[in-house]
Amino acid sequence: MMRRDKKDEEDGGNPFKNIEKATVVQEARTFNDPHIHTRKCCLILTKLLYLINQGEILATVEATETFFAMTKLFQSKDVTLRRMVYLTIKEMCKLAEDVIIVTSSLTKDMNSKEDLFRASAVRALCMITDGSMLQGIERYLKQAIVDRDHSVASAALVSSLHLSRENFEIVKRWVNEVQQATSSDDHMVQYHAVGLLYQIKKNDKLAITKLVSKQARHSLRSPFAHCLMIRIASKIIEDEEDSKSNSLYDYLESCLRHKSEMVVYEAARAIVNLKNVQSKDLSPAVSVLQLFLGSPKPHLRFAAAKTLNKVAITHPLSVTTCNLDLENLVTDSNRNIATLAITTLLKTGSEASVERLMKQITSFMSEISDEFKTVVVDAIKALCLKFPRKHLTMMNFLSSMLRDEGGFEYKKAIVDTIISIIEENKEAAESGLAHLCEFIEDCEHTSIAVRVLHLLGKEGPKTLAPSKYIRYIYNRVILENSPVRAASVGALAKLGAQVPSLRENIVTLLSRCMTDSDDEVRDRATFCVNVLQENSQSLSNAVIVNGLNVSVFGLERALMHYIKTDSEQPFNLKSVPVSNTRVEAKVDNITTVQKAATTTASKQDLLAEQLARIPQFANLGPLFKSSDKAIEVTESETEYVVRCIKHVFQKHIVFQFDCTNTLEDQLLENAFVEIEPSDDFEVESTVPAATLAFNTPGTTYTCVSVPEDVDMMTGSFVNTLKFIVKDCDVNTGEADEEGYEDEYVLEDVEVYPSDYMQRVLKSNFAASWEELDGEQESEETYVLSSISTIEDAVKEVTDLLGMQPCERSDKVSRDKNSHTLLLSGVYVSGDDALARAKFALVQGQITMLLTARSKNEIPLALIHKAVG
């Protein structure tokens, strides 16, 4: 097709490296020649595709002229040239105008007798087709789905899958042809047919369950289709509450005996990844993976080792049966497999085997990639939590890894692991901080250095000799860039605030930073020097140690509002929303693509801005707190699906009801939730949802005022969804002019004491506790008769109070009969609230002494009400 010089072949050069867009566009005029030069035209199309895939932007005029010239190539019967034309049409259909001009040519090729043309023509035709044109070629596509030629059928099925994203209602009508294609003898056709059938029925859980049950009874020929069916089945099992009695689990187990290794592995992976799987249910899957460990095929050994490595995190005892096979893989010629084997053994092995395994892995650490070095780091982290007494061995190993060459992610994983070990095991703090101090002396990653400096400021004052860290921190002020210098100033200030004996020397060092070239460094240094010179421990704790626990986005909005109002009153920081502790949720799908996204505002900030736009809520003041998770007030399978989110303001609560109408033949109008509150709550306003179309979410709000009596601030709310129903045509979506009123009873919504409390972390709980000495204090003793372990008691009390555990006091040591839980939070009025719960386990019964402090007596009453 094209000639390459021998020099290019030897150098491995790119023949298209220096081509220019203008030249290629000019060459494309060759397509208009009366006599078509096949080789030349193929080369030009190849250049054109190369430019497009390299991100070169063709102007609309250039693309359109080239596209129209290319249509002349349909006169050629050369198979290679014609397939290049199809590829170029698919790439240029979004760049050029009036591309539908080739519809007739592609339709003709799709129905021709040349099978090599037909499959490619189907793909190209579906790329240029929109909803208005699809009905015109619908008949041809339905025929292609059940075509005798497997490549044509597969092309039609894949193209239909893409079309269903924009034209679902049309593609849904092809379900009979797709169902017929699932019986094809060809593996790929059957696989694509099952995928399209799932796409068509995915919104109907009952239909999906029947699909899996049917295909499980009639064994699929395609291993690819089997793998897809396994993923669908595992998703259904996870979505249902009672997964053990589900027949689909038996289907997954039956796939472990399939003749295809691909299907067997997919079934084993699906079983071990089920959310609530028990150790006894893992046995068949682990046995299969154990057989794969001894396979002569490297990809099977790798897959089994990687899967078992993940299983060992949650069910280490289930993997111990594979330890002998994993030991044999330690010397595997594939170092990635050996790494996975050793890290799995580290998670499942005994304390005595740790040092031996560490020596083995040290021998080839330099031979593996950063990705697998990170796997080793994760295993060491789990090992340190499992065997705290081995922290010195682990720390030395991690320190040597820090000195080795490696990328940002690798170094970050090591630092994160050391920090986690320090936080979990106080005995490891001294050695861990020492290793991190050495690391930042030659750290080229700014974000990692900033994090280490923050840790030194937090943990350094708690060590026996805090003064030894000053040198390492101040070196960063002299040698590093401005973000690191700013972090160093903050770390020094925290040392000075918490260690009075060092305060004078640290003020001297910080004074030198007041002439720094960077604004941020100068401002931080000036602020910290002035605060430390006040010699007020409460002030230092409030603004340096604990910091301002406010939303930055909310602070900006409050300051802008304050400037615009020209108020003579000083700015009140209590008018700013509190920054809460975020909880991340993991979403599992059949195929999941995770993207890291950073936003300026948190979820609560966005909700506050959204509520502020509604006129009825504009004067409620700043939003204090919103529910972490939406409350389901209907079953997920009902005709109307409603979820509730509580938004708490200082004197009001706004209930946000997100409603979805799942009835295709109904349109709901003026939908709102009528609330029947308990005694002293009063409904002030309601914002209805104008319309609720089929599967289109809508939102309605109800605002209630909060009573001042602390005994009446909690209660249950009875809810009824009321609306006007209008029948509508399923095909056109047009609704009747007249409707009728109807209602739907929802589940009750509870308001708890924890709704009035926001989680706020106090870095130095003891200092904050002493600050509130002499303020309001209450103390009660409780017997927790329904709870059997201290660990469960800590979790239950933390959830009931809605407060933040401090100084990792939520971690309960094993084999201890007593524990102290430290909790901090902010009440809706803006007042700090602290609680100290002392647990004791005596004769199988747990007793709790709960002490609470605050400047306001209402949060104290709510704290005891939540537990009592």
Side-chain angles (χ1 to χ4, degrees):
M1 180 175 156
M2 57 180 295
R3 181 177 297 172
R4 295 185 61 185
D5 294 335
K6 187 174 182 181
K7 186 174 183 296
D8 286 338
E9 292 179 0
E10 291 174 354
D11 296 343
N14 182 356
F16 303 121
K17 184 177 181 180
N18 297 317
I19 62 174
E20 296 180 357
K21 181 183 72 173
T23 306
V24 176
V25 172
Q26 185 72 22
E27 290 176 351
R29 297 181 179 179
T30 306
F31 301 155
N32 293 315
D33 291 349
H35 178 67
I36 298 174
H37 302 279
T38 304
R39 289 171 60 88
K40 187 176 181 181
C41 290
C42 283
L43 179 58
I44 295 170
L45 289 174
T46 305
K47 292 179 180 178
L48 197 61
L49 289 172
Y50 175 80
L51 286 174
I52 293 171
N53 282 283
Q54 288 298 309
E56 192 74 42
I57 300 174
L58 293 178
T60 304
V61 176
E62 293 174 333
T64 304
E65 289 180 357
T66 305
F67 188 88
F68 273 78
M70 184 179 60
T71 59
K72 303 290 181 65
L73 300 180
F74 275 101
Q75 299 172 18
S76 173
K77 298 296 181 183
D78 185 82
V79 174
T80 304
L81 178 58
R82 186 67 71 85
R83 296 180 74 177
M84 288 296 296
V85 170
Y86 296 138
L87 283 173
T88 312
I89 288 174
K90 289 167 63 179
E91 293 293 334
M92 295 189 66
C93 65
K94 295 179 182 178
L95 305 175
E97 294 179 341
D98 300 324
V99 294
I100 58 174
I101 195 173
V102 296
T103 301
S104 58
S105 299
L106 290 172
T107 305
K108 181 181 177 182
D109 286 353
M110 189 172 73
N111 296 308
S112 69
K113 296 181 180 179
E114 183 60 62
D115 289 339
L116 291 174
F117 291 171
R118 295 171 62 207
S120 299
V122 168
R123 292 189 175 94
L125 184 60
C126 290
M127 284 292 291
I128 67 170
T129 301
D130 57 20
S132 60
M133 297 168 51
L134 185 56
Q135 292 184 355
I137 62 170
E138 183 178 1
R139 177 167 59 92
Y140 302 119
L141 286 173
K142 289 169 72 174
Q143 291 173 355
I145 288 174
V146 292
D147 196 275
R148 57 178 176 78
D149 186 86
H150 297 151
S151 62
V152 175
S154 187
L157 288 164
V158 174
S159 299
S160 301
L161 190 61
H162 292 305
L163 288 170
S164 66
R165 296 170 185 167
E166 301 292 336
N167 306 279
F168 180 75
E169 294 301 321
I170 297 176
V171 176
K172 190 168 70 171
R173 299 200 294 257
W174 308 344
V175 65
N176 291 333
E177 287 76 13
V178 178
Q179 188 74 52
Q180 185 179 340
T182 58
S183 303
S184 173
D185 294 335
D186 185 75
H187 287 183
M188 293 309 295
V189 172
Q190 193 176 56
Y191 168 56
H192 291 143
V194 171
L196 180 56
L197 198 59
Y198 171 75
Q199 185 71 17
I200 291 172
K201 297 184 176 183
K202 67 179 181 180
N203 294 325
D204 187 345
K205 289 188 177 180
L206 182 60
I208 290 296
T209 305
K210 288 181 178 178
L211 170 65
V212 178
S213 301
K214 179 182 177 182
Q215 299 299 341
R217 290 194 305 269
H218 304 86
S219 183
L220 294 165
R221 295 183 181 87
S222 169
F224 306 108
H226 255 302
C227 290
L228 179 59
M229 201 58 66
I230 288 169
R231 294 189 180 189
I232 296 171
S234 62
K235 185 176 187 299
I236 295 173
I237 292 172
E238 288 187 353
D239 290 342
E240 294 183 1
E241 293 182 1
D242 189 10
S243 59
K244 289 185 179 179
S245 63
N246 200 308
S247 60
L248 296 179
Y249 184 82
D250 296 332
Y251 166 67
L252 293 182
E253 280 202 329
S254 68
C255 290
L256 294 174
R257 298 181 289 276
H258 197 272
K259 61 182 179 180
S260 170
E261 293 170 339
M262 181 196 308
V263 175
V264 173
Y265 171 71
E266 187 66 37
R269 192 179 72 90
I271 290 173
V272 299
N273 286 332
L274 290 176
K275 287 181 182 176
N276 300 317
V277 66
Q278 302 296 322
S279 298
K280 61 180 181 180
D281 299 324
L282 286 174
S283 179
V286 172
S287 299
V288 167
L289 294 172
Q290 185 176 7
L291 292 174
F292 283 174
L293 290 176
S295 171
K297 300 176 182 178
H299 64 274
L300 285 180
R301 299 200 302 274
F302 177 82
K306 188 169 185 179
T307 306
L308 289 171
N309 190 281
K310 291 182 179 179
V311 177
I313 297 173
T314 52
H315 298 89
L317 293 178
S318 299
V319 185
T320 52
T321 55
C322 306
N323 280 3
L324 184 59
D325 300 271
L326 290 167
E327 289 271 8
N328 296 331
L329 292 181
V330 170
T331 55
D332 195 287
S333 57
N334 186 317
R335 290 309 191 189
N336 294 337
I337 296 175
T339 303
L340 289 169
I342 288 184
T343 52
T344 306
L345 287 169
L346 286 173
K347 295 170 185 175
T348 61
S350 62
E351 191 170 359
S353 64
V354 170
E355 293 187 8
R356 175 177 60 83
L357 292 170
M358 296 302 295
K359 289 179 181 178
Q360 286 181 300
I361 202 168
T362 304
S363 62
F364 59 80
M365 278 297 292
S366 59
E367 302 176 29
I368 59 178
S369 64
D370 281 3
E371 179 184 358
F372 286 94
K373 287 179 182 178
T374 305
V375 174
V376 175
V377 173
D378 291 339
I380 291 173
K381 178 180 177 180
L383 197 66
C384 280
L385 300 180
K386 187 177 179 181
F387 305 121
R389 289 183 297 180
K390 290 291 182 181
H391 70 267
L392 284 177
T393 304
M394 300 296 103
M395 281 291 190
N396 292 332
F397 182 77
L398 290 170
S399 175
S400 65
M401 293 174 75
L402 270 178
R403 291 191 291 269
D404 295 339
E405 293 294 326
F408 170 75
E409 292 297 333
Y410 171 51
K411 297 289 185 181
K412 180 176 178 294
I414 299 173
V415 172
D416 288 347
T417 300
I418 293 177
I419 292 174
S420 296
I421 295 170
I422 291 172
E423 291 176 342
E424 293 287 345
N425 186 355
K426 295 303 179 185
E427 295 179 4
E430 295 279 354
S431 60
L433 292 176
H435 292 313
L436 290 176
C437 285
E438 291 178 10
F439 170 64
I440 60 172
E441 289 288 329
D442 190 28
C443 177
E444 58 185 11
H445 304 292
T446 299
S447 60
I448 298 178
V450 167
R451 183 156 188 216
V452 172
L453 288 166
H454 173 74
L455 181 75
L456 289 174
K458 178 184 173 184
E459 299 291 339
K462 301 174 185 177
T463 58
L464 297 175
S467 59
K468 67 182 179 183
Y469 302 110
I470 296 177
R471 175 172 64 88
Y472 296 102
I473 297 173
Y474 191 68
N475 281 347
R476 310 279 64 75
V477 176
I478 300 171
L479 302 173
E480 296 288 356
N481 55 28
S482 54
V484 177
R485 296 203 303 274
S488 301
V489 169
L492 285 172
K494 287 183 179 180
L495 281 171
Q498 297 179 75
V499 187
S501 61
L502 301 177
R503 188 170 299 164
E504 185 177 348
N505 293 333
I506 286 176
V507 168
T508 303
L509 295 176
L510 290 176
S511 299
R512 298 175 187 173
C513 302
M514 293 167 64
T515 58
D516 194 274
S517 59
D518 185 76
D519 292 346
E520 174 71 18
V521 179
R522 285 200 308 273
D523 291 348
R524 285 196 187 194
T526 304
F527 173 76
C528 293
V529 166
N530 281 275
V531 171
L532 292 175
Q533 286 179 339
E534 290 289 329
N535 284 323
S536 170
Q537 192 62 45
S538 61
L539 178 64
S540 297
N541 289 335
V543 298
I544 294 179
V545 180
N546 294 324
L548 299 177
N549 295 303
V550 297
S551 161
V552 176
F553 187 78
L555 176 62
E556 180 186 9
R557 190 170 60 238
L559 288 170
M560 292 293 291
H561 177 72
Y562 179 76
I563 293 171
K564 291 178 181 177
T565 54
D566 293 329
S567 174
E568 295 182 358
Q569 298 293 327
F571 180 75
N572 185 4
L573 201 59
K574 290 185 178 181
S575 66
V576 182
V578 179
S579 176
N580 64 324
T581 305
R582 299 181 186 180
V583 180
E584 297 180 359
K586 183 180 177 182
V587 180
D588 293 325
N589 292 318
I590 291 179
T591 55
T592 305
V593 179
Q594 296 179 344
K595 295 182 180 179
T598 56
T599 56
T600 306
S602 67
K603 178 183 176 183
Q604 182 168 318
D605 294 327
L606 297 175
L607 287 170
E609 192 172 8
Q610 177 183 324
L611 291 168
R613 295 196 194 103
I614 301 173
Q616 291 90 327
F617 309 146
N619 298 320
L620 297 183
L623 174 63
F624 174 71
K625 180 181 180 181
S626 296
S627 307
D628 293 332
K629 294 180 180 179
I631 305 164
E632 303 285 347
V633 291
T634 61
E635 297 293 334
S636 57
E637 295 84 8
T638 55
E639 54 266 40
Y640 310 117
V641 178
V642 184
R643 301 189 307 167
C644 177
I645 299 175
K646 292 177 284 187
H647 304 290
V648 181
F649 294 82
Q650 187 164 354
K651 296 182 179 179
H652 298 82
I653 297 177
V654 174
F655 295 92
Q656 173 183 327
F657 295 94
D658 296 326
C659 312
T660 304
N661 171 24
T662 62
L663 297 178
E664 198 171 358
D665 58 348
Q666 286 187 2
L667 175 69
L668 309 186
E669 292 185 351
N670 195 33
F672 66 95
V673 176
E674 183 180 86
I675 288 182
E676 295 180 22
S678 54
D679 299 335
D680 288 3
F681 284 91
E682 290 185 7
V683 177
E684 291 198 351
S685 60
T686 300
V687 180
T691 59
L692 288 176
F694 170 64
N695 267 353
T696 303
T699 303
T700 174
Y701 301 90
T702 303
C703 176
V704 300
S705 60
V706 178
E708 295 183 1
D709 187 351
V710 67
D711 294 327
M712 300 296 178
M713 291 175 67
T714 58
S716 180
F717 292 77
V718 179
N719 310 298
T720 305
L721 177 64
K722 295 191 173 184
F723 45 83
I724 296 174
V725 181
K726 290 186 177 180
D727 295 329
C728 63
D729 189 286
V730 176
N731 297 321
T732 62
E734 294 182 3
D736 296 343
E737 292 184 3
E738 296 184 0
Y740 56 92
E741 293 184 357
D742 200 357
E743 63 181 42
Y744 189 83
V745 178
L746 307 177
E747 294 179 11
D748 294 355
V749 174
E750 296 281 344
V751 173
Y752 302 102
S754 59
D755 290 326
Y756 299 100
M757 200 72 69
Q758 182 73 281
R759 294 172 179 263
V760 170
L761 180 66
K762 297 291 185 184
S763 300
N764 191 333
F765 184 87
S768 301
W769 184 263
E770 290 302 321
E771 282 178 33
L772 293 177
D773 189 18
E775 302 292 343
Q776 299 287 341
E777 179 175 320
S778 61
E779 187 173 270
E780 293 287 343
T781 302
Y782 301 91
V783 177
L784 309 180
S785 56
S786 61
I787 303 175
S788 58
T789 65
I790 292 181
E791 189 172 6
D792 291 340
V794 167
K795 184 178 184 303
E796 186 73 19
V797 170
T798 302
D799 292 340
L800 286 173
L801 299 184
M803 300 172 74
Q804 178 66 29
C806 297
E807 300 181 6
R808 305 190 71 80
S809 59
D810 55 328
K811 305 295 182 183
V812 181
S813 302
R814 295 179 183 177
D815 304 326
K816 283 199 173 182
N817 295 327
S818 62
H819 181 76
T820 301
L821 173 65
L822 308 176
L823 297 169
S824 67
V826 172
Y827 178 59
V828 68
S829 63
D831 296 307
D832 285 343
L834 302 179
R836 183 181 64 197
K838 295 183 177 180
F839 300 92
L841 179 61
V842 181
Q843 296 179 352
Q845 193 173 52
I846 295 178
T847 304
M848 176 180 70
L849 176 63
L850 180 62
T851 309
R853 287 183 180 180
S854 178
K855 293 181 180 179
N856 189 337
E857 61 182 7
I858 296 179
L860 302 185
L862 282 173
I863 287 172
H864 289 287
K865 184 177 181 180
V867 179

